[in-house]
Amino acid sequence: MKDFLYIGHYVDTDGNYILKIGTTNDLEVRQSQHTRYYAKAKNHPMAEGTQFAFDWYLPLSRANTHRYEESIKELWKQANFGVHIRNDRFCFAEKPEVVYITIRKTYEVAL
């Protein structure tokens, strides 16, 4: 069974660009879950009338999705790529143009 490693985003109530990395086995369900949850989040709530959007995703084995998610989060934290928000979000005052994800090859993800 395949899971997806994904990169997605939303804009918070202060206009910050919130980038998220995560894993799921159902992209549509996960998108609606994020939209509902982040609309009411205490830290960086989603701007009213918007929704969570996927920028990129890749099907991988369940073990690999979690392994790559953790390694990419650590890499971004160490590189001070945005401001890390607990768990798996990164806050940017201005939207980054691109992010690079390396999994066997390097993917350039335009945001």
Side-chain angles (χ1 to χ4, degrees):
M1 182 173 178
K2 294 285 185 183
D3 277 5
F4 295 94
L5 176 66
Y6 66 84
I7 304 293
H9 76 276
Y10 68 90
V11 176
D12 73 6
T13 54
D14 293 328
N16 295 310
Y17 188 84
I18 308 298
L19 190 66
K20 177 177 176 49
I21 182 167
T23 63
T24 186
N25 62 356
D26 189 326
L27 292 165
E28 285 183 34
V29 169
R30 197 66 177 139
Q31 182 178 25
S32 66
Q33 288 171 338
H34 285 325
T35 298
R36 279 192 316 271
Y37 177 79
Y38 291 130
K40 301 173 186 170
K42 291 180 183 178
N43 295 328
H44 302 280
M46 185 181 301
E48 193 173 324
T50 63
Q51 69 176 15
F52 183 85
F54 290 110
D55 297 301
W56 174 88
Y57 54 86
L58 182 69
L60 298 165
S61 71
R62 179 165 287 179
N64 282 338
T65 58
H66 292 288
R67 186 181 75 197
Y68 285 120
E69 176 187 9
E70 290 304 316
S71 67
I72 293 166
K73 281 193 300 192
E74 278 306 310
L75 180 69
W76 288 358
K77 282 193 258 184
Q78 291 173 5
N80 292 321
F81 181 63
V83 176
H84 181 252
I85 305 168
R86 187 174 71 78
N87 292 341
D88 49 12
R89 292 180 291 160
F90 293 83
C91 178
F92 298 87
E94 294 194 20
K95 175 182 165 183
E97 291 183 24
V98 68
V99 341
Y100 296 94
I101 307 291
T102 301
I103 301 171
R104 289 183 228 111
K105 71 175 195 173
T106 300
Y107 297 89
E108 180 178 359
V109 181
L111 304 173

